[in-house]
Amino acid sequence: MSILSTRKAEKIDSLAEGGTSLAMDALRRTFRSPVAILGLVIVGLFVILAIISPFIAPKDPYRPYPELKAELTPSNIPGPMPGFLLGSDQNGYDFFSRLLVGAQQTLFVGVFATLIGVAVGMIIGGLAGAFGGWVDSVLMRLTDIMLSIPSLLLAISIAALLPGSQWTVIIAVAMIGVPVFARLLRGAMIAQRSSDHVLAATALGVKRKTIVFRHMLPNSIGPVIVQATLTLATAIIDAAALSFLGLGDSDWRRAEWGLMLGNAQELLSVKPSLAFFPAIAIIIVALGFTLLGESMRESLDPKNRR
Amino acid sequence: MALLDVRDLSVVFKRKGTRPFTAVDGVSFSVEPGQTVGLVGESGSGKSVTSLAIMGLLPKRGAEIGGSVTFSDTELLTLSDKQLRDRRGRDLGMVFQDPLSSLNPVITIGLQITEVLERHRGMTRKEARVEAAELLDRVGLPDPQRRIDEYPHQLSGGMRQRVLIAIALACRPKLLIADEPTTALDVTIQAQILSLLSELVSETDTALIMITHDLGVVAGLCDDVNVMYGGRIVERAQRHDLFERSRHPYTHGLLQSIPRLNAPRGEPLTPIRGSVSDNIEWEQGCAFAPRCPNATDVCWSEPPELKADDGRMLRCHNPVAIGDAVTEGAL
Amino acid sequence: MTDETATTTDVTGTGSAATDMDVAGADVTGTDVAGAAGTGGGRSADGDGAAGADDVLVTVEGLEVHFPIKRGIVLERTVGYVYAVDGIDLTIRRGETYGLVGESGCGKTTMGRGLLRLVEPTGGRVVFDDTDVSTLKGETLRKSRRRMQMIFQDPLSSLDPRQSVESILVEGMRAHGLDSGKESTRARLVELLDSVGLPESALHKYPHEFSGGQRQRIGIARALAVEPDLIVADEPVSALDVSVQAQVLNLLEELQQRLGLTYLVIAHDLAVVRHISDRIGVMYLGSLVEEASSDEMYAEPMHPYTKALLSAVPVPDPTVEDEREQILLTGDLPSPANPPTGCRFHTRCPWKQDTLCDTDRPELREVGDGHRVACHYAEDIAAGRITRHEVEPELVHPDT
């Protein structure tokens, strides 16, 4: 035995860098692909912009400027002019500053809609996955009902029921994600429940609570994180869609890309750039999150390991 | 003239961003008509890659194949894809480990056989169907007339393997390559399949290459046995010679380490220490040296050559002496 | 349907077994049971493992595990059962190794899990060291698990990929309050690793950084961490390379001698079972067909199925292979959801007789010293009064 022990010792110590967990490994693999890096750069720039935009915006995005107002008529919205890079919006505000600050509000809506969706979905999916039996049946039938309604229709119904505010948009969009996350986590947890290492923990006499929180949940969370990243993209688009349909925020003054896009819909013939820039911004950001999410999904897939 | 002559075959896998990996290195052996040759080794020994290289089934990109594979005077490695496909269907048959994934799940087993018969033996659909039923009967599928219209999932693992053998035999190949054909099966089913294979070989004069990790399977079936380790052949001998007087420390160690049905309870096993991950590169010395009880300095510094030694081929600096047991250094 | 897939059906239901046995006997933490004086604690046995033949550690009586087959989407109804384990009686003596052998689908894995209450038995009972395990619930059941551990077939999937070796090993100790202090826990971990031949540096590594054999050692160390008396090893070496299997088998034997462990080794490889076991039970379609000492099972198998099984194992010795008389079975294993009437082996048995075989299910009966067999005609076959005949293979559809 001793020969073997020392030989094993050499062998294991010779592993160049030991002690890397699977998560670290996956992360390393993710950022080997150029697509993932592109996604990360887009998302990174977006987040930085969201944080610093209030400080770098050249003008106050929340007040009209007389220079702009002077030339504002129903059939003419001023274009670029000195001090105002993209000219005015329909209310005589600085369009460029509003576009910059819009990043913050858009991120806010996207992040909170996703977080709420993840939280509620995980509670439902987690309960179903951990308990199984009738709890599972009841909760899953519930999510089936939610899934059977087209997602935008669901969001519209919720938005129509609640008073028009930013939180209405957030909650309505969050509800779209709930059944998706619930099913995802529940499926992963059920797979975990019959896995050998959970069986091993049960055989070891580990408490059920510990098994759920230390083994089943952490091993099921990977696909949820990936889905959340992807959902951030669609959440931003869905929020914009709600705003576009006039079901969103009643505060027209708020600088948020979806809202700006929605409010610009009647002015397409007057100044198309009012719709064009927010739309492009939304598309690029959504693309960034999608690229990032897809690369993460790929590297977490055990088939792609190594 | 040998039916199949493999000379100095090497396979190097190259992938962007990783070191080239030599899976098979300087493998040479030949197969005579009607002969059964065994390729034995553990996972990573290169035995399966060897068979895929012979069949031309390795991906064109990423795998660099060297050496030569001559099959009845034709060099297989330089054939075009189409010529190779033709050969594969007609002269070379292959049976894989997992019969379910080797069969098309949405086509009836009858059609999977008649397809081959129509294409390579120019039969009409009607003729092919009769022949297919005969083939299925021959490989021992009960009630072939009915089963011919069933799908792979309706059969058990053993029956699927029989179907696969029937497909491989459809064109009366001169050479059959069986890659771990019984590993996924239970031992009573394995016995059925092995006896079927040996029966077919002796009846039709088909040559067989048996690839397996199970020394027991080889002992009863093969005329010549090649033992592979780390991508190279380390010992080759006629089966009685190999099992009764193994000379390479790896072969010897393997035979000492496996529990045997005919050994009394309580007799200790002598394991080979370490695992394949301990291997050193063949360029440096003998890949088995870190695990070898006979290893001396020369084993760590000089790659051994495959040399003829008393009626066998042996790649070792310090072979096991005849009638000697390896005990020193084992745990 | 194999026993592996059967276990993926819902088995976590907490409904207790149907038997209403004495719950008062549920004191599992006490090890000072009469008759167990010398070998009471898991680690106190000194060398000589097997005590007297009467010193029974585990008694299994009529154990049944039937998995319901459910159909329907909203309203599920049970349309049948998979009889994975269908009435098994056996005893395992303290310090011995009991080998359970059989082909895939015979229910051996479910049997092991049913014994450990990792699947809920639907009938029968398991008595472990005078405690009826089948009636335990909740905390008592959880605590009782300390003394019965398991080693798995696939060493990678049975280790949580997110846990370091240290956390894998500490988990069981913590669950049973054995992690008394930082220093002593650390010392215990090093001792555990050493006993399975791994260095201390392994503690901070993750399962995927080890080779197959090393992972299995970690799995063994995890089981040992809670100082068990019984270890159920389900195919402990079948996922390992041939050259590594012997290392793990030797380790298991060494640990048994040192710690006085009792093993239930479940495997499909007869040679492995024969090598490691004192006694062997052969399973076919959910029940035991034969039980004997390892040497006797090899020398004088009495059940037709055992004979066929033994004759089918390839031996790495050409001389033996050339002379071997094989008993080839025809056809496939019948579905455990629809087992044959009478003797379950009668559809494939080369010694099948016209009476009894297809009507009466044979009991496992004693035919010699510790040799039990479930065959109506065992003695007649042994004496050569009945000879083998051809069997027409029967159609078996795997999905019915």
Side-chain angles (χ1 to χ4, degrees), chain B residues 42-43 140 142-143 146-147 150 153-160 162 186-192 194-195 213-217 219-221 239-240 243-244 250 254-255 257-277 291 331, chain C residues 97 102-105 108 211 214 217 241-247 249-250 253 256 268-272 274-278 294-295 298 305 308-322 326 328-333 348 393-399:
Chain B
E42 297 176 90
S43 52
D143 200 2
R146 224 184 87 197
R147 297 241 138 174
E150 292 191 345
H153 71 93
Q154 292 174 291
L155 303 175
S156 69
M159 291 303 157
R160 283 180 207 134
R162 285 170 194 268
D186 275 317
V187 2
T188 55
I189 310 293
Q190 163 172 295
Q192 294 172 4
L194 290 179
S195 89
H213 71 278
D214 190 335
L215 285 162
V217 167
L221 194 66
R239 70 177 164 131
H240 280 279
F243 283 94
E244 282 146 30
Y250 173 64
L254 217 49
L255 285 167
S257 72
I258 41 181
R260 285 159 191 253
L261 205 53
N262 52 349
R265 154 96 178 117
E267 207 162 87
L269 303 172
T270 313
I272 299 176
R273 64 189 179 198
S275 68
V276 265
S277 57
R291 304 177 68 189
L331 97 162
Chain C
T97 301
E103 299 182 278
S104 55
K108 57 187 190 299
S211 72
Q214 290 170 335
R217 289 168 193 269
D241 255 332
V242 189
S243 70
V244 180
Q245 290 189 0
Q247 296 173 6
L249 288 176
N250 279 1
E253 295 200 295
Q256 178 170 44
H268 73 279
D269 188 334
L270 263 166
V272 166
R274 152 105 169 114
H275 172 78
I276 201 169
S277 309
D278 300 305
S294 181
D295 288 338
Y298 173 72
Y305 178 66
L309 203 57
L310 278 166
S311 85
V313 178
V315 176
D317 184 336
T319 317
V320 175
E321 283 290 305
D322 290 349
Q326 275 200 359
L328 280 186
L329 291 182
T330 48
D332 297 310
L333 190 75
R348 300 167 77 196
E394 214 167 89
L395 293 177
V396 177
H397 280 255
D399 53 347

Side-chain angles (χ1 to χ4, degrees), chain C residues 46 95 102 104 118 131 136 174 178 181 187 191 230 236 251 259 262 266 294 326 339 347-348 383 390:
Chain C
D46 41 1
S104 55
L118 291 172
T131 304
L136 299 184
R174 187 167 297 148
L178 298 171
E191 183 198 331
L230 172 75
L251 175 65
L259 305 175
T262 305
I266 298 166
S294 181
Q326 275 200 359
T347 53
R348 300 167 77 196
E390 293 280 307

Side-chain angles (χ1 to χ4, degrees), chain A residues 56-116:
Chain A
I56 61 161
K59 294 283 187 300
D60 183 348
Y62 290 117
R63 96 184 160 78
Y65 284 85
E67 317 74 308
L68 299 172
K69 268 235 137 120
E71 292 183 41
L72 191 69
T73 65
S75 58
N76 178 45
I77 299 170
M81 51 200 284
F84 302 95
L85 196 58
L86 294 174
S88 167
D89 74 352
Q90 62 270 47
N91 301 308
Y93 290 34
D94 177 32
F95 184 40
F96 181 64
S97 298
R98 283 180 65 82
L99 208 53
L100 287 183
V101 175
Q104 196 171 49
Q105 294 295 321
T106 306
L107 182 67
F108 181 82
V109 172
V111 165
F112 275 89
T114 306
L115 277 184
I116 293 172

Side-chain angles (χ1 to χ4, degrees), chain C residues 229-296:
Chain C
D229 299 80
L230 172 75
I231 291 184
V232 174
D234 189 358
E235 300 278 8
V237 296
S238 64
L240 306 176
D241 255 332
V242 189
S243 70
V244 180
Q245 290 189 0
Q247 296 173 6
V248 172
L249 288 176
N250 279 1
L251 175 65
L252 286 174
E253 295 200 295
E254 184 202 308
L255 290 169
Q256 178 170 44
Q257 282 182 4
R258 207 146 57 85
L259 305 175
L261 295 165
T262 305
Y263 288 146
L264 173 63
V265 174
I266 298 166
H268 73 279
D269 188 334
L270 263 166
V272 166
V273 170
R274 152 105 169 114
H275 172 78
I276 201 169
S277 309
D278 300 305
R279 287 193 303 141
I280 296 177
V282 180
M283 273 184 85
Y284 185 79
L285 271 186
S287 49
L288 274 183
V289 295
E290 189 164 4
E291 185 186 75
S293 74
S294 181
D295 288 338
E296 184 155 331

Side-chain angles (χ1 to χ4, degrees), chain A residues 21-24 26 122 184-201 210-226 300-302 305, chain C residues 156-164 167-168 171 206-208 222:
Chain A
S21 72
L22 271 183
M24 285 302 294
M122 275 183 64
L184 204 60
L185 187 67
R186 179 234 178 212
M189 297 249 309
I190 283 185
Q192 287 295 320
R193 196 168 58 185
S194 54
S195 76
D196 275 359
H197 69 87
V198 166
L199 198 68
T210 319
I211 293 178
V212 170
F213 285 103
R214 282 196 53 144
H215 297 287
M216 287 164 67
L217 207 56
N219 278 297
S220 310
I221 214 120
V224 175
I225 293 171
V226 171
L300 274 177
D301 188 340
R305 191 154 292 161
Chain C
L156 185 57
S157 77
S158 66
L159 302 172
D160 187 336
R162 279 164 202 277
Q163 278 187 304
S164 66
S167 119
I168 288 171
E171 185 159 47
Y206 289 84
H208 66 113
R222 168 176 61 188

